[in-house]
């Protein structure tokens, strides 16, 4: 059947800000997807969100949505500590699952989620939406064509400033902290660019004495003779950059993760000239695209065409394992 006339019927577990402001509108823009229902533990919040977003049905509990036989796939934007519970319940109910990052609170928990989904015969994917955006498709093309020679080093910086004690990103037991919230992007991007796992990991962590969460985490990841560094913070000026260095050039990805949907984005490739004062720079402008729509398209297409999701769930396990190695090394040396 034509996927455009038979879109995947989605349900959403929760009314988190990212869901109602970004992901649900992105799914709704996807020609291959249709948001049929939304759930919240508060019936009034579910009803309000459904009305505001023109979603046909709402449910006053997550389980009620999972019992909705019309729903094929669910998107889970719940706090980190609830990912495993509800992803596995969704899988047991026969629903395919797109779950916010990080997939779980630990790699062990993620392994259990992957196994439950496999046993239930449903798809499971971690929602690293940036990977699918044309911006990163172009970055990977440039690297494959050796636009900067051999890739040897990557630097990632990602930060924002938030000291609200009631924000779940500042609550340790809910999986808050810089590494879990945004450092996971840095680790993911580095692993994607190098195409394998680090042979050695060194970490450094600064914690908020009140919150108990990490407010600045840095790491050195070694991939044999190649290296990557990252710093993430929840208490620094907002910024994000990815620098990719090769033997004959370098790439700057200006807005690598929170890619705007309403404007073109740029990749700067520097090679030759008179660096560092007068490098030859080629600007690759990538047309605007909604990364959440692209993600929904890719996930829904995998269901309708019976193919694998673009990012296998085992990647989420590997990402968490690297994050755990960063924490373990920081604690040993701290």
């Amino acid at each position: 059947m034509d996927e455009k006339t038979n879109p995947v019927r989605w349900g959403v577990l929760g009314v988190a800000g990212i869901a109602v402001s970004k992901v649900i509108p992105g799914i709704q823009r996807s020609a291959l997807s249709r948001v049929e229902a939304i759930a919240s533990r508060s019936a009034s919040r579910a009803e309000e969100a459904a009305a505001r977003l023109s979603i046909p049905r709402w449910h006053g509990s997550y389980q009620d949505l999972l019992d909705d036989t019309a729903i094929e796939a669910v998107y889970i934007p719940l706090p980190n500590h609830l990912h495993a519970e509800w992803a596995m319940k969704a899988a047991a109910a026969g629903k395919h699952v797109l779950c916010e990052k990080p997939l779980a609170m630990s790699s062990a928990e993620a392994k259990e989620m992957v196994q439950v989904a496999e046993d239930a015969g449903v798809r499971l994917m971690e929602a690293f939406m940036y990977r699918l955006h044309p911006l990163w498709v172009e970055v990977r093309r440039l690297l494959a064509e050796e636009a900067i020679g051999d890739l040897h080093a990557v630097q990632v910086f990602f930060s924002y400033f938030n000291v609200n004690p009631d924000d779940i990103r500042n609550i340790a037991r809910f999986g808050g902290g810089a590494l879990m919230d945004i450092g996971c992007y840095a680790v993911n991007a580095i692993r994607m660019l190098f195409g394998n796992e680090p042979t050695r990991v060194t970490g450094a962590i600064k914690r908020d004495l009140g919150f108990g969460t990490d407010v600045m985490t840095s790491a050195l990841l070694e991939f044999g003779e190649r290296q990557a560094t990252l710093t993430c913070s929840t208490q620094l000026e907002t910024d994000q950059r990815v620098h990719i260095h090769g033997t004959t050039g370098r790439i700057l990805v200006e807005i690598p993760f929170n890619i705007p949907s309403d404007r073109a984005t740029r990749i700067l490739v520097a090679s030759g000239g008179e660096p560092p004062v007068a490098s030859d720079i080629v600007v690759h402008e990538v047309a605007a695209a909604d990364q959440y729509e692209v993600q929904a398209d890719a996930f829904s297409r995998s269901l309708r065409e019976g193919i694998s999701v673009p990012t296998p769930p085992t990647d989420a396990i590997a990402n968490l394992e690297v994050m755990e190695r960063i924490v373990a090394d920081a604690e040993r040396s701290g």
Side-chain angles (χ1 to χ4, degrees):
M1 185 178 293
D2 185 351
E3 55 197 14
K4 291 185 179 180
T5 61
N6 184 30
V8 171
R9 300 181 300 278
W10 287 78
V12 179
L13 295 185
V15 292
I18 190 174
V20 298
S21 65
K22 295 181 179 181
V23 182
I24 292 173
I27 297 173
Q28 290 174 321
R29 280 189 283 270
S30 165
L32 312 181
S33 312
R34 186 170 65 234
V35 180
E36 286 285 343
I38 189 168
S40 172
R41 289 175 295 184
S42 164
S44 61
R45 291 187 71 193
E47 184 177 18
E48 187 277 331
R52 178 154 49 97
L53 294 164
S54 301
I55 299 172
R57 297 189 305 286
W58 58 269
H59 297 283
S61 77
Y62 304 144
Q63 189 60 52
D64 284 349
L65 186 144
L66 297 184
D67 292 337
D68 187 335
T69 56
I71 300 302
E72 298 176 81
V74 296
Y75 164 62
I76 300 179
L78 298 172
N80 294 339
H81 71 298
L82 297 177
H83 288 180
E85 175 187 357
W86 288 102
M88 290 191 288
K89 285 181 177 178
K95 314 299 185 188
H96 304 285
V97 179
L98 175 66
C99 184
E100 267 306 326
K101 51 76 207 163
L103 188 66
M105 293 282 280
S106 69
S107 60
E109 201 173 60
K111 288 176 183 177
E112 184 180 4
M113 295 165 71
V114 171
Q115 188 61 57
V116 168
E118 184 177 319
D119 291 344
V122 299
R123 306 284 204 287
L124 170 65
M125 190 174 87
E126 187 176 33
F128 274 123
M129 68 297 172
Y130 81 95
R131 297 171 62 116
L132 307 176
H133 191 282
L135 176 76
W136 280 97
V137 173
E138 178 67 3
V139 170
R140 293 193 292 270
R141 183 191 70 80
L142 290 167
L143 292 175
E145 295 181 358
E146 299 185 352
I148 59 169
D150 296 329
L151 171 62
H152 276 275
V154 175
Q155 298 173 318
V156 183
F157 190 90
F158 198 176
S159 65
Y160 59 81
F161 192 90
N162 181 339
V163 291
N164 178 3
D166 297 322
D167 193 305
I168 59 171
R169 292 172 292 181
N170 292 322
I171 301 175
R173 70 180 185 278
F174 291 167
L179 184 60
M180 288 289 277
D181 188 50
I182 53 179
C184 59
Y185 282 95
V187 172
N188 191 266
I190 290 166
R191 293 178 47 255
M192 176 180 67
L193 290 168
F194 283 132
N196 54 26
E197 306 303 329
T199 52
R200 184 183 177 200
V201 173
T202 306
I205 291 177
K206 174 187 175 182
R207 294 192 181 276
D208 186 288
L209 296 180
F211 300 151
T213 57
D214 65 305
V215 295
M216 184 165 66
T217 293
S218 296
L220 168 64
L221 309 182
E222 297 180 47
F223 296 77
E225 296 183 349
R226 301 186 295 174
Q227 299 175 1
T229 58
L230 68 91
T231 294
C232 57
S233 176
T234 57
Q235 292 186 15
L236 289 177
E237 170 70 10
T238 298
D239 192 19
Q240 54 184 275
R241 292 287 188 274
V242 174
H243 295 268
I244 305 167
H245 298 265
T247 52
T248 62
R250 53 187 165 83
I251 292 172
L252 168 61
V253 186
E254 289 185 323
I255 311 175
F257 305 122
N258 297 127
I259 307 170
S261 62
D262 60 349
R263 69 195 73 174
T265 46
R266 304 193 314 167
I267 303 163
L268 276 59
V269 181
S271 182
E274 296 181 11
V277 295
S279 298
D280 288 338
I281 296 177
V282 176
V283 177
H284 295 253
E285 190 168 277
V286 179
D290 182 339
Q291 58 190 346
Y292 300 102
E293 177 184 353
V294 174
Q295 176 178 250
D297 274 346
F299 193 90
S300 291
R301 184 174 292 107
S302 75
L303 303 188
R304 285 292 177 260
E305 297 182 1
I307 58 177
S308 299
V309 292
T311 307
T314 50
D315 188 80
I317 298 171
N319 215 60
L320 281 160
E321 287 175 339
V322 173
M323 293 162 63
E324 289 166 348
R325 292 169 67 185
I326 292 171
V327 174
D329 183 81
E331 291 178 344
R332 277 195 302 269
S333 58

